[in-house]
Amino acid sequence: MNAMDYRQLGQTDLKVSALCLGTMTWGDQNTETQAHAQLDTAVAAGVNFIDVAEMYPIPPRALTYGLTETYIGNWLRRRNNRDKVIIATKVIGRAPWADYIREGNPCLDRKNIEEALDASLKRLQTEYIDLYQLHWPDRNTNFFGKLGYQHRDGEKAIPIEETLSVLGDLVKAGKVRYIGISNETPWGTMTFLHYAERYRLPRIVSIQNPYNLLNRTFEIGLAEIAHRDNVGLLAYSPLGFGVLSGKYLEDERPPGARLTLFKQYTRYSNPESEIATADYVRTARRHGLDPAQMALAYVTSRPFVISNIIGATTMEQLNSNLQSVEINLSEDIVADIEAIHRRQPNPSP
């Protein structure tokens, strides 16, 4: 395998691997033993960056809440390698459905953030988090595929400056090294940067948003911010819930596959997405490439991407995803990809 590439995490002293190990299936589709095997394999391949969240695994449920962090914490203790890996986790924003999290009133105020962080530290069995991220905005805005912004006067959202102030105290306390945002908009990203400068608070170093061949909306507005303000992308769902592997084409639903088990996730399964996916799969095979590896290589190669968050439920999938770093996309392949994108732009925003 080619040597893993390492990239600067914003304006920090950390260099993270170009591939980050995603973990959202651990505790539901994957056992703790399987999770530890994935961690060992990824680290052996040069991955030093692990992404998790307080509410993992997905789909979120009271029964499994926090299990993913617990699995990682046990692995860190057994391997005694905390100083060798960079751990990112997240605190959830306002979520009316989360009646089992913090007395059913999670939001991004001081009480919630401090409670969430202390619980994550305990589950992860560590004294600090390298990158602490806000999982989604507390306010009403466009994320998780929502289009058509609608303003709500009088909404009960924690102001960004208040949230940032709390994070600043956690950085001062040494519990958090750096902070990031996730599922954010251009306005939200620039507001975090503005308040950091205005009030001398910690600066966000990254943004974790969806980015894949079926959803390149990050390129509209946010990519420029990533370049000009050094807030690079941690790309999640680089395979669109596995759709870009081609395994769901022609209404196939392989046993045990994510979209077979969880039919509620339809973001990447609309008719326009299926047309685009079929084109991408044909293009990959015409060039002698594995469709999933081509899709991953495209994401990893984008200049605004710091790290590409890969996930897997089997070791076969994980090894294939890790091998995507060996793929160097030629100008002809990229031209074919761009032609499909022009025909079917962002079918799964």
Side-chain angles (χ1 to χ4, degrees), residues 23-24 26-28 32 52-74 89-90 92 100-102 116 119-125:
T23 63
M24 72 176 186
W26 302 355
D28 192 309
E32 183 167 7
V52 63
E54 64 161 318
M55 75 170 192
Y56 287 177
I58 299 293
R61 291 184 294 152
L63 182 66
T64 58
Y65 171 73
L67 265 184
T68 310
E69 287 186 328
T70 299
Y71 289 2
I72 295 171
N74 290 339
T89 193
K90 315 177 195 75
I92 69 169
Y100 56 90
I101 299 177
R102 289 185 287 285
S120 287
L121 290 170
K122 184 176 181 180
R123 288 189 292 263
L124 289 164
Q125 302 182 54

Side-chain angles (χ1 to χ4, degrees), residues 31 58 63 69 84 100 120-121 128 209 213 245 281 286 297 303 316 336 338 340-341:
T31 66
I58 299 293
L63 182 66
E69 287 186 328
K84 301 293 194 301
Y100 56 90
S120 287
L121 290 170
Y128 65 94
N209 275 28
L213 292 177
S245 69
V281 169
R286 188 169 66 250
E316 181 182 9
D336 286 349
E338 298 300 336
I340 297 170
H341 179 61

Side-chain angles (χ1 to χ4, degrees), residues 9-307:
L9 179 64
Q11 297 179 354
T12 78
D13 59 351
L14 296 179
K15 285 198 170 183
V16 298
S17 47
L19 297 182
C20 172
L21 185 60
T23 63
M24 72 176 186
T25 62
W26 302 355
D28 192 309
Q29 289 175 267
N30 290 105
T31 66
E32 183 167 7
T33 298
Q34 291 169 336
H36 290 189
Q38 286 195 29
L39 284 159
D40 290 339
T41 298
V43 168
V47 171
N48 71 348
F49 195 19
I50 301 161
D51 180 72
V52 63
E54 64 161 318
M55 75 170 192
Y56 287 177
I58 299 293
R61 291 184 294 152
L63 182 66
T64 58
Y65 171 73
L67 265 184
T68 310
E69 287 186 328
T70 299
Y71 289 2
I72 295 171
N74 290 339
W75 178 80
L76 290 170
R77 186 189 74 245
R78 292 170 187 172
R79 301 297 184 268
N80 192 27
N81 62 349
R82 177 65 184 91
D83 60 332
K84 301 293 194 301
V85 292
I86 296 165
I87 301 292
T89 193
K90 315 177 195 75
V91 53
I92 69 169
R94 197 170 300 272
W97 50 266
D99 57 357
Y100 56 90
I101 299 177
R102 289 185 287 285
E103 300 170 345
N105 188 34
C107 62
L108 297 178
D109 64 2
R110 180 172 296 277
K111 177 180 181 294
N112 272 274
I113 294 175
E114 289 181 347
E115 282 188 26
L117 176 62
D118 286 343
S120 287
L121 290 170
K122 184 176 181 180
R123 288 189 292 263
L124 289 164
Q125 302 182 54
T126 182
E127 296 180 350
Y128 65 94
I129 301 298
D130 296 292
L131 177 65
Y132 200 49
Q133 304 161 100
L134 307 176
H135 207 151
W136 58 79
D138 213 60
R139 67 192 189 279
N140 171 58
T141 189
N142 302 64
F143 55 90
F144 297 146
K146 178 183 175 183
L147 300 177
Y149 170 75
Q150 294 179 344
H151 191 69
R152 295 178 185 170
D153 290 327
E155 67 177 349
K156 295 179 181 179
I158 304 302
I160 286 177
E161 60 267 37
E162 180 179 334
T163 297
L164 195 54
S165 177
V166 177
L167 293 172
D169 289 343
L170 297 175
V171 171
K172 285 180 185 176
K175 292 183 176 182
V176 171
R177 295 179 70 185
Y178 302 106
I179 63 169
I181 52 178
S182 181
N183 296 297
E184 257 297 358
T185 66
W187 181 87
T189 305
M190 292 306 298
T191 301
F192 272 99
L193 292 170
H194 168 69
Y195 284 130
E197 183 175 358
R198 181 176 179 179
Y199 298 116
R200 297 185 179 180
L201 291 167
R203 193 178 192 276
I204 54 172
V205 302
S206 60
I207 175 170
Q208 183 176 150
N209 275 28
Y211 183 73
N212 55 62
L213 292 177
L214 300 174
N215 179 3
R216 291 168 53 178
T217 55
F218 188 87
E219 297 172 7
I220 307 166
L222 282 166
E224 183 177 9
I225 297 172
H227 278 295
R228 296 186 186 277
D229 284 290
N230 199 10
V231 182
L233 174 64
L234 307 180
Y236 81 78
S237 287
L239 292 178
F241 266 52
V243 166
L244 285 161
S245 69
K247 64 184 177 183
Y248 297 113
L249 287 175
E250 298 181 357
D251 293 324
E252 287 291 323
R253 289 296 182 268
R258 194 155 186 79
L259 297 187
T260 305
L261 295 173
F262 309 117
K263 297 178 176 61
Q264 66 268 39
Y265 294 119
T266 59
R267 187 172 186 176
Y268 299 102
S269 303
N270 64 71
E272 296 302 316
S273 295
E274 293 207 6
I275 293 170
T277 298
D279 280 347
Y280 287 124
V281 169
R282 280 191 293 268
T283 294
R285 290 173 177 160
R286 188 169 66 250
H287 288 282
L289 298 175
D290 174 82
Q293 290 180 343
M294 183 190 80
L296 290 174
Y298 183 85
V299 171
T300 307
S301 69
R302 297 305 88 190
F304 48 80
V305 171
I306 296 175
S307 193

